[in-house]
Amino acid sequence: MRIVALAGGIGGARFLRGLKEIVGPQDEITVIGNTGDDIHLFGLKVCPDLDTVMYTLGGGIHEEQGWGRADETWSIKNEMKAYGVGPEWFGLGDRDFATHIVRTQMLGAGYPLSAVTEALCDRWQPGVRLLPMSDDRVETHVRITDEQGPRVVHFQEYWVRLHAAVAAEAIVPVGVDTAKPAPGVLEALAAADVILLPPSNPVVSIGTILAVPGIREAVAAATAPVVGLSPIIGGAPVRGMADKVLAAVGVEATADAVALHYGGRGAPGGSGRPAGLLDGWLVDTADQAVVAAVEAAGISCRAIPLLMTDTDATAAMAREALALAEQVRR
Ligand code: GDP
Ligand code: CA
């Protein structure tokens, strides 16, 4: 079975770890990773979501934190601070720095990001084929208004420095309009037996991937069933501040509103409305009450426990997602 998943950072990576537990040795998992969170820091190209997937599946992640390397030290950061060189708000540890140095060196030598990612994964052996959504530079920016007036900040500044404490007025994936899907992305979607949308951020993780011209269309046109899992439980994100970016695109932070935002597969696009994507949607048992509303939109919906408390619980979620995919397969 060829499984394709679109993934952001922590939510995507943890789900994929559960998925890996339940697939057979013949099954292939291709991950299309979000690169809209990428940022240039200290002259280095940092790809937070790709690295979170790579470290999580490759056994190098800082478990409690969910991002960055295990057993990290902070000498470089402290030395930079001694020089008065920031930003101080973005945590890059010594071990993590090595990844960004290798990546930046290879990009400088002319390799596309997809080839660089493959080279980094040679070390980590994540057990999935990890593809960046695009080799072209895309950087999500957020429009805010604060004491400095209306302005636009990099997504990382909004998320990490400002903790999404001010309202996001607009989310702008700069560069996405002219970005091309990375080699293998459209082919993987066309050849997929199942397409999964893990409980990643629907706006700045999965939304950004879908905004690369051709990707949303390829998901909508795929012969494979498309099944998603809600990152929202009981009207709030399980972790992080997804509600802030959902508000920016006019979507309520509820499990059913996110499903309708992705849209049912039956719903045709046109007149400014993008084609719907979902055949199936999993919500948490706490959201049992929204199942009927999701099904009314033509999306098969089940309520199951959706908390990724450990690998067993996450594997059970992945098993339910694949089971729902079989039920909705046309
Ligand atoms: P990021 O790039 O690190 O923000 O990670 P993702 O975009 O992949 O995932 C972030 C989303 O994961 C957040 O909106 C969370 O609500 C969601 N999430 C985190 N942990 C869980 C969990 O245990 N269960 C569910 N259903 N969602 C989760
Ligand atoms: Ca991210």
Side-chain angles (χ1 to χ4, degrees):
M1 190 158 61
R2 285 161 297 194
I3 303 170
V4 178
L6 277 49
I10 301 178
R14 290 197 171 155
F15 174 75
L16 290 165
R17 191 157 57 182
L19 178 65
K20 269 178 63 183
E21 287 289 310
I22 60 150
V23 298
Q26 319 289 15
D27 299 329
E28 277 172 29
I29 303 173
T30 299
V31 178
I32 303 172
N34 172 42
T35 57
D37 291 14
D38 293 7
I39 186 165
H40 287 74
L41 293 170
F42 312 110
L44 300 174
K45 165 90 162 174
V46 180
C47 300
D49 284 359
L50 293 181
D51 289 350
T52 294
V53 171
M54 183 174 79
Y55 294 156
T56 301
L57 302 185
I61 198 76
H62 186 301
E63 283 296 336
E64 295 70 41
Q65 208 166 251
W67 54 270
R69 291 288 313 280
D71 304 318
E72 191 56 284
T73 55
W74 301 91
S75 297
I76 301 176
K77 190 175 169 132
N78 291 335
E79 290 293 310
M80 297 306 293
K81 189 175 176 182
Y83 282 113
V85 174
E88 274 180 43
W89 48 264
F90 202 85
L92 290 182
D94 300 334
R95 291 172 173 236
D96 201 15
F97 258 107
T99 304
H100 313 312
I101 293 169
V102 174
R103 173 184 294 122
T104 307
Q105 184 165 275
M106 285 188 72
L107 289 170
Y111 291 95
L113 183 62
S114 47
V116 175
T117 305
E118 196 180 336
L120 294 170
C121 285
D122 252 357
R123 170 184 174 192
W124 289 102
Q125 296 292 317
V128 302
R129 188 161 68 116
L130 177 59
L131 305 175
M133 65 189 199
S134 178
D135 280 335
D136 301 317
R137 183 168 169 177
V138 177
E139 275 183 20
T140 301
H141 284 66
V142 181
R143 199 179 74 213
I144 60 168
T145 302
D146 60 7
E147 62 281 359
Q148 293 180 45
R151 63 196 182 102
V152 167
V153 295
H154 190 287
F155 171 72
Q156 297 296 354
E157 183 171 0
Y158 179 70
W159 208 247
V160 181
R161 188 173 82 83
L162 301 173
H163 302 292
V166 279
E169 296 161 358
I171 310 288
V172 187
V174 178
V176 85
D177 298 345
T178 54
K180 290 175 294 300
V185 166
L186 298 183
E187 293 80 353
L189 289 167
D193 296 308
V194 176
I195 297 174
L196 297 177
L197 306 186
S200 284
N201 189 306
V203 182
V204 292
S205 292
I206 293 186
T208 309
I209 300 170
L210 293 170
V212 175
I215 295 187
R216 188 184 179 103
E217 295 75 3
V219 175
T223 52
V226 180
V227 171
L229 299 93
S230 179
I232 304 291
I233 297 182
V238 176
R239 189 190 160 111
M241 300 132 328
D243 48 326
K244 295 300 173 62
V245 289
L246 280 166
V249 297
V251 177
E252 235 188 307
T254 60
D256 49 325
V258 172
L260 299 188
H261 174 61
Y262 285 131
R265 207 69 179 300
S271 62
R273 264 188 73 84
L277 300 178
L278 294 175
D279 295 299
W281 184 243
L282 293 175
V283 300
D284 188 76
T285 41
D287 292 311
Q288 179 73 52
V290 309
V291 169
V294 176
E295 295 223 312
I299 303 165
S300 293
C301 186
R302 310 275 180 275
I304 61 150
L306 281 192
L307 277 179
M308 299 190 282
T309 42
D310 55 33
T311 308
D312 284 352
T314 313
M317 286 165 53
R319 201 175 286 115
E320 293 280 358
L322 293 183
L324 182 54
E326 289 317 314
Q327 288 167 28
V328 297
R329 191 182 292 284
R330 288 162 298 177

